[in-house]
Amino acid sequence: MTTLDRQVEHRLKDRDVRYTRARRAVVEALAQAGGPRSAAELHADIGPSVPLSSLYRSIATLEEAGVLTPHHGARSLTRYELAEWLAGHHHHLLCTSCGSVEDIDIPADREAVVRRLVDAIAADAQFAAASHALEIEGLCARCR
Amino acid sequence: MTTLDRQVEHRLKDRDVRYTRARRAVVEALAQAGGPRSAAELHADIGPSVPLSSLYRSIATLEEAGVLTPHHGARSLTRYELAEWLAGHHHHLLCTSCGSVEDIDIPADREAVVRRLVDAIAADAQFAAASHALEIEGLCARCR
DNA sequence: TCCTATAATGAGAATCGTTATCATAAGAAC
DNA sequence: GTTCTTATGATAACGATTCTCATTATAGGA
């Protein structure tokens, strides 16, 4: 059992939610993927042992527990990834050509700039900021 | 006929696309809304004179022509708003409680900071940045 | 270990946003 | 006005997601 597993298990136990085979499979597949994955992609990764209906329910449960964060994209596709507290804070590069989503870590000094900006904007709008995301659209290294 | 109408008309004429009643209705509804609207919301705004099928086609046409930009949200909902060159550059505040999306203009000096950051991040990843979006999630002034 | 209460699963149907089809109507070019 | 092209409206189809319900697994107590 990995550290990740232990963290998730603890989080779920706190909420009286069981860490079952299907849910574990989702968490492990996401950990391996290293980037956002859709339900269909997770189904392909995990295999037919977890049917789609269960997969969707597992995803919803994990999302409610704050283990996963959804990422909504084109063509009615929602991709998921492990939440910030599990996988760290990062931003996204969206390729408009191939549709890929790349996670990108940014150095702490730059992240500090973003955070200051977010706080200032939110304060001006009397908005209580919980999280932020900087998404950059364009062409990835392969497609340009 | 408003300035907006003229701008859109010209853009469409350049692409041999007609600026029809349905398309005009979408543009006008979006201009009035002052924030992202889904197809269903536009349908409610415009009324039944433009049926959903036409509405979706109008949206797709306008999106291809670069008049609208899509904004993907929860529950497989895509909202649209007038493109940057028509409505100006701005960012979004997403309320996790009521689901509203608020457009927020940020001062030029702050925007410059964001742009510098985006350029630096993109350059590091060998990514050709075309546009960027800073999305802040949290509780809006009404919900907090 | 066995019981019991509760929560999770699997299979399938249902739902919802969106897209495609196709016959008809409107617009532009001549 | 005729003709050619493009847009429309009604409706069916589609794909991602959610729901239903009978069955199965799990946790906690006897």
Side-chain angles (χ1 to χ4, degrees):
Chain A
M1 181 181 280
T2 66
T3 308
L4 174 66
D5 264 330
R6 250 188 296 275
Q7 288 177 288
V8 173
E9 184 163 40
H10 186 240
R11 175 92 170 203
L12 295 183
K13 189 161 274 178
D14 275 355
R15 292 155 198 255
D16 290 309
V17 171
R18 297 177 192 161
Y19 195 28
T20 62
R21 191 177 55 82
R23 292 166 188 170
R24 209 175 285 269
V26 170
V27 169
E28 276 161 15
L30 281 178
Q32 299 239 302
R37 303 289 275 168
S38 68
E41 289 165 343
L42 286 171
H43 188 58
D45 295 344
I46 293 168
S49 69
V50 176
L52 263 181
S53 59
S54 288
L55 188 55
Y56 274 108
R57 253 179 325 207
S58 296
I59 290 172
T61 304
L62 291 169
E63 187 185 341
E64 272 160 41
V67 174
L68 268 55
T69 52
H71 183 69
H72 304 287
R75 297 188 68 80
S76 312
L77 252 185
T78 304
R79 288 170 201 273
Y80 297 87
E81 57 187 343
L82 294 176
E84 237 174 83
W85 65 276
L86 287 167
H89 181 68
H90 56 255
H91 295 284
H92 289 129
L93 298 177
L94 311 165
C95 180
T96 51
S97 170
C98 67
S100 70
V101 182
E102 195 177 333
D103 283 355
I104 187 113
D105 291 311
I106 74 175
D109 56 331
R110 285 188 185 157
E111 182 54 38
V113 172
V114 176
R115 191 156 306 169
R116 260 199 303 282
L117 209 57
V118 166
D119 289 343
I121 294 170
D124 284 358
Q126 298 178 4
F127 192 89
S131 69
H132 66 269
L134 180 60
E135 316 246 292
I136 304 178
E137 264 195 15
L139 294 173
C140 70
R142 281 186 305 281
C143 292
R144 62 189 302 189
Chain B
M1 179 180 280
T2 66
T3 309
L4 174 65
D5 264 331
R6 250 188 296 276
Q7 288 177 289
V8 173
E9 185 164 40
H10 186 239
R11 176 92 170 202
L12 295 184
K13 189 161 274 177
D14 275 357
R15 291 152 200 256
D16 289 308
V17 171
R18 297 179 193 158
Y19 195 26
T20 62
R21 190 177 57 83
R23 292 167 189 170
R24 208 176 286 271
V26 170
V27 169
E28 276 160 15
L30 282 177
Q32 299 240 301
R37 303 289 276 166
S38 67
E41 289 164 343
L42 287 171
H43 188 58
D45 295 344
I46 293 169
S49 69
V50 176
L52 262 180
S53 61
S54 288
L55 190 56
Y56 274 109
R57 252 180 325 209
S58 296
I59 290 171
T61 304
L62 291 169
E63 187 185 342
E64 273 160 40
V67 174
L68 268 56
T69 51
H71 183 69
H72 304 288
R75 296 187 69 80
S76 312
L77 252 186
T78 304
R79 288 170 201 271
Y80 298 88
E81 57 186 344
L82 294 176
E84 239 174 83
W85 65 277
L86 287 168
H89 181 68
H90 56 255
H91 295 284
H92 289 129
L93 298 177
L94 311 164
C95 180
T96 52
S97 172
C98 67
S100 69
V101 182
E102 194 177 334
D103 282 355
I104 187 110
D105 291 311
I106 74 173
D109 56 330
R110 283 187 187 158
E111 181 54 39
V113 172
V114 176
R115 193 156 304 168
R116 261 200 303 282
L117 208 58
V118 166
D119 289 343
I121 294 169
D124 283 358
Q126 298 179 1
F127 193 88
S131 70
H132 65 269
L134 179 61
E135 316 246 292
I136 304 178
E137 264 194 16
L139 294 173
C140 70
R142 283 186 304 280
C143 292
R144 64 188 301 188

